[in-house]
């Protein structure tokens, strides 16, 4: 019953959108979600509605689709319609959509690319010439610019015309260049209404405060993380992208920054848990998702065997003093949680660019200091509990000392492991948790059982 209601709701909303009878226009994400509902319940109906989408919206909707639905698009929709849809997209989105299609069907992607007009091909090739982590890979070439000796009214007329033709979206700044294309100034759109439209931009800038319109820029080959930091620090709507000589190439908008932050955060969360983010898509097959998680579980199994082998070294100690078996998990658990806290904070700071390996001494001291303070507090507390619980004061000393040792190493390695991985250009979120768990379990069990054998027996 519930499935039928979902199907009917999706049909009704899609019909309203296609017939332009809906009060509020559906976003591409909404349309993709409703199409996903149709596909889940009725493949034939899904295909019918997919074919009804106009090229003006088809590209944006395709950007929101998972791979298996995008495959349906390139199989069911005629190539000329997909080409038209790609040409409707902004250059960065067009390059990204073609990349998605290429991952599914390389030959189809080539066919679609060859069908684009020459200007679109050049823009896409320029964007795809950059590495995926460089600013240039995130820029769009569509922007509002004018040369310094142009009259303001001429520039504004051009903006009006290009907006009407749908060539520009989300314009927030006028980028002013010299006649060679070197970026000189960036003027917020809201400031333009204050100026004399009959004056040239050079005359307008000359009357302004010095450096008022000096642009913040992203160099095309710099890391996107640096650009994100600049945009956030200056609360910008968009940022100009220039080459090493200052020539204006394009711009990066806040929606691209938002998408990058969202994808990075998702990847970090999944990696910390030892999960493949691509395999965890809602529509990924059960077998694929299970296999992806099983790889990390297998690694964890081997690290658990290491911890178990440590326990095996003290089997006689445990057999002669059963209370040790009861208290062992507490030492390991406290160390694991302390290490995870340090690990999470360090990975976050690395991601935000706040620390690096070469200047990480303060971060290391801070996390170790926090771990030691908590270690002393909870070692004392657990020592009293254990002594009273089993009526053996020295048992309290053993678990207290062990907990202090383990929390120290947890704070130390919880900070050092991600820093070291980052230094060797390895994603600090990948594998950190597994390595840290191995350290805290090994140190916890060895220190606790070792001290017990030395002091109690």
């Amino acid at each position: 019953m519930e499935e039928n209601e979902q199907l009917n709701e999706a049909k009704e909303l899609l019909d309203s959108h296609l017939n332009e009878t809906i009060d509020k226009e559906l976003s591409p994400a909404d349309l993709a979600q409703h199409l996903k509902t149709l596909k889940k319940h009725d493949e034939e109906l899904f295909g019918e509605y997919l074919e009804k989408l106009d090229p003006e919206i088809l590209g944006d909707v395709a950007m929101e689709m998972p791979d298996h639905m995008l495959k349906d698009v390139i199989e069911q929709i005629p190539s000329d319609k997909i080409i038209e849809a790609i040409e409707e997209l902004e250059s960065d989105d067009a390059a990204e959509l073609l990349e998605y299609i290429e991952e599914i069907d390389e030959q189809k992607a080539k066919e679609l690319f060859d069908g684009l007009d020459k200007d679109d091909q050049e823009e896409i090739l320029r964007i795809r010439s950059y590495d995926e982590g460089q600013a240039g890979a995130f820029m769009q070439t569509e922007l509002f610019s004018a040369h310094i000796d142009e009259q303001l009214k001429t520039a504004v007329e051009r903006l009006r015309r290009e907006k009407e033709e749908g060539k520009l979206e989300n314009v927030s700044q006028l980028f002013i260049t010299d006649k060679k294309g070197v970026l000189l100034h960036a003027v917020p759109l809201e400031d333009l209404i204050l100026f004399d439209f009959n004056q040239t931009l050079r005359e307008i800038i000359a009357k302004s405060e010095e450096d008022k319109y000096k642009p913040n820029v992203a160099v095309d080959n710099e890391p996107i993380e640096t650009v994100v930091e600049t945009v956030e620090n200056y609360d910008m709507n968009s940022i100009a992208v220039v080459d090493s000589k200052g020539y204006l190439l394009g711009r990066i908008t806040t929606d691209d920054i938002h998408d990058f932050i969202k994808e990075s955060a998702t990847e970090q969360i999944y990696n910390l848990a030892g999960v493949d983010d691509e395999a965890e898509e809602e529509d990924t097959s059960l077998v694929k998702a299970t296999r992806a998680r099983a790889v990390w579980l297998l690694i964890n199994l081997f690290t658990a065997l290491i911890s178990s082998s440590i326990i095996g070294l003290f089997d006689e100690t445990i057999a002669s003093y059963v209370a040790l078996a009861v208290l062992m998990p507490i030492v390991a658990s406290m160390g694991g949680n302390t290490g995870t806290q340090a690990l999470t904070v360090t990975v976050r700071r690395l991601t935000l660019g706040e620390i690096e390996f070469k200047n990480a001494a303060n971060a290391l001291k801070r996390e170790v200091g926090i771990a030691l303070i908590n270690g002393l507090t909870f070692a004392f507390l657990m020592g009293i509990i254990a002594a009273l619980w089993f009526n053996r004061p020295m048992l309290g000393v053993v678990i207290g000392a062990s907990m202090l040792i383990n929390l120290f190493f947890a704070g130390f390695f919880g900070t050092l492991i991600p820093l070291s991985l980052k230094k060797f250009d390895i994603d600090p979120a990948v594998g950190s948790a597994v390595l840290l768990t191995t350290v805290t379990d090994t140190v916890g069990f060895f220190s606790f059982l070792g001290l017990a054998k030395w002091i109690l027996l």
Side-chain angles (χ1 to χ4, degrees), residues 349-397:
R349 295 186 67 188
L350 284 168
T351 303
L352 296 175
E354 295 179 358
I355 55 172
E356 296 179 8
F357 188 88
K358 60 185 178 183
N359 61 356
N362 289 335
L364 194 60
K365 290 177 183 177
R366 173 182 170 81
E367 293 303 324
V368 170
I370 292 172
L372 278 175
I373 293 171
N374 281 331
L376 287 167
T377 302
F378 290 101
F380 178 75
L381 178 62
M382 193 61 220
I384 294 175
I385 292 172
L388 296 175
W389 188 358
F390 295 98
N391 198 27
R392 287 290 299 270
M394 292 310 295
L395 180 59
V397 173

Side-chain angles (χ1 to χ4, degrees), residues 164-212:
E164 289 174 350
E165 295 172 356
K167 293 181 179 180
L168 284 179
E169 294 182 10
N170 302 321
V171 178
S172 60
Q173 295 182 87
L174 167 62
F175 298 115
I176 302 174
T177 67
D178 64 16
K179 290 185 178 180
K180 293 182 179 179
V182 174
L183 180 63
L184 302 175
H185 309 282
V187 182
L189 215 59
E190 60 187 23
D191 283 12
L192 295 184
I193 61 174
L194 304 175
F195 303 141
D196 183 347
F197 276 41
N198 292 314
Q199 289 187 324
T200 66
L201 294 170
R202 185 186 298 277
E203 292 171 333
I204 291 169
I205 295 298
K207 295 178 181 179
S208 304
E209 297 177 14
E210 186 178 358
D211 293 337
K212 181 177 181 180

